[in-house]
Amino acid sequence: MTHPPVPYPDGGADPSAYVRTREKGTRDVTYPAAPEPLAVPVYDNHAHLEIEDGVGLSLDEQLDRALAVGVAGVVQAGGDIDSSRWSAWAATAHPRVLAAVAIHPNEAPLYAAAGRLDEAIAVIDELAAQPRVRAIGETGLDFFRTDDDGRPAQFESFEAHIALAKTHGIAIQIHDRDAHDAVLETLARVGAPERTVFHCFSGDAEMAKIAADRGYWLSFAGNVTFKNAQNLRDALAVTPPERILVETDAPFLTPVPHRGRPNAPYLIPVTLRFLAAELGVDVDEFAARVAANTLEVYGTFED
Ligand SMILES: [Zn+2]
Ligand SMILES: [Zn+2]
């Protein structure tokens, strides 16, 4: 996630106009070919469709490509004021989008440094009242990108977001990078929202067991396909089917064999089939289970 300048832009009157562009570097930025469609539709539990990558696809194009391969909807996640406003707008504008809104743990210290964290959280509170905003996310702790100085603001922000999920009675999508123990401890200490999701689950089997025992959901992203990610496959193996979700985190974490190229919701079938193969279960039955889990966490896309 790129960091916008401080002080933050306020989005203006038209949240739909907001776009971020991902650094391209030397990557192949063409979109991979579409996978074979799934017979049983599923949803992408976490994506950032406001971020332009590769040849920019409009929101409609993204969603149409997804639908064509059996990805019936997307939970669009915000990470700052503007992307959260955009997420809420996209969910209102499109029947196949639901929104998550939050200040990302790597953004929270920047808002705090600008003296704007309370104001930012107040904006999230306001957005969370909208009927198609069904999660607070992504929030959590990131000890990889933020050093010790930024941690008090991360904790303050995470705890405020947990409270918002409870107040609004919606799910929470947790970003946990190199902060497993602190995230689990915080949830236990302040009490987790009823529907708690680890987006892009990054722990091991031991953590997966703890999370599942506590009734949290584990959302697996394309990095589960990476060669060096045996810990994620071990985690998957011990996660009860009713706790499993699938996501892209698009445009990031593109699954093998397309790693490095832009990710998009239409690539969900690649990861879903990989998960089913790892578990040795039927793809259609697994898809039905994961789709039902999504609706249990976020509610229906249809109203
Ligand atoms: Zn994240
Ligand atoms: Zn994300």
Side-chain angles (χ1 to χ4, degrees):
M1 175 169 282
T2 55
H3 293 181
V6 176
Y8 286 77
D10 283 327
D14 179 10
S16 70
Y18 182 64
V19 190
R20 290 190 295 165
T21 306
R22 184 182 178 195
E23 200 71 47
K24 290 183 172 58
T26 55
R27 289 181 300 129
D28 175 358
V29 290
T30 61
Y31 277 96
E36 198 188 311
L38 294 167
V40 175
V42 297
Y43 305 91
D44 182 349
N45 282 268
H46 181 102
H48 303 279
L49 298 181
E50 86 284 9
I51 303 178
E52 219 167 63
D53 195 21
V55 283
L57 291 178
S58 70
L59 177 61
D60 283 336
E61 285 167 331
Q62 289 276 16
L63 296 166
D64 288 349
R65 280 190 185 203
L67 188 63
V69 296
V71 178
V74 177
V75 180
Q76 156 67 31
D80 57 22
I81 289 179
D82 283 331
S83 60
S84 291
R85 282 191 173 136
W86 190 92
S87 301
W89 163 80
T92 306
H94 210 295
R96 294 199 298 277
V97 177
L98 293 176
V101 295
I103 304 303
H104 191 283
N106 288 325
E107 303 294 326
L110 304 182
Y111 280 101
R116 293 191 63 189
L117 185 55
D118 290 348
E119 178 198 337
I121 290 168
V123 172
I124 299 305
D125 187 11
E126 205 176 297
L127 292 171
Q130 294 188 19
R132 291 181 66 80
V133 174
R134 303 289 178 77
I136 296 294
E138 53 184 292
T139 179
L141 299 172
D142 186 323
F143 295 168
F144 178 77
R145 293 259 299 276
T146 293
D147 59 18
D148 292 355
D149 293 354
R151 288 187 190 176
Q154 280 198 349
F155 277 101
E156 182 190 340
S157 179
F158 184 28
E159 291 179 28
H161 282 82
I162 292 170
L164 286 183
K166 292 183 195 170
T167 305
H168 291 277
I170 56 179
I172 193 165
Q173 290 191 341
I174 293 175
H175 169 103
D176 157 28
R177 189 155 182 200
D178 292 358
H180 307 322
D181 292 346
V183 167
L184 288 172
E185 187 278 323
T186 303
L187 289 170
R189 176 165 46 80
V190 303
E194 210 173 297
R195 285 161 292 149
T196 294
V197 176
F198 278 79
H199 118 75
C200 186
F201 181 78
S202 61
D204 58 9
E206 192 191 344
M207 183 181 173
K209 277 188 203 147
I210 295 169
D213 283 350
R214 290 193 194 172
Y216 307 157
W217 281 266
L218 286 70
S219 184
F220 289 90
N223 55 343
V224 72
T225 68
F226 295 176
K227 203 172 170 196
N228 63 358
Q230 189 57 44
N231 66 309
L232 300 182
R233 294 184 283 277
D234 294 342
L236 174 70
V238 300
T239 305
E242 65 273 16
R243 297 287 138 205
I244 296 174
L245 298 170
V246 65
E247 66 173 65
T248 55
D249 205 9
F252 311 107
L253 300 176
T254 315
V256 169
H258 308 301
R259 189 174 178 180
R261 293 169 73 183
N263 201 2
Y266 76 88
L267 293 171
I268 275 283
V270 177
T271 303
L272 187 97
R273 288 193 177 102
F274 181 91
L275 296 173
E278 274 294 313
L279 293 168
V281 296
D282 177 73
V283 173
D284 294 352
E285 281 170 29
F286 182 63
R289 176 72 259 175
V290 172
N293 296 345
T294 302
L295 299 179
E296 189 184 340
V297 173
Y298 305 106
T300 176
F301 281 69
E302 276 148 29
D303 57 36

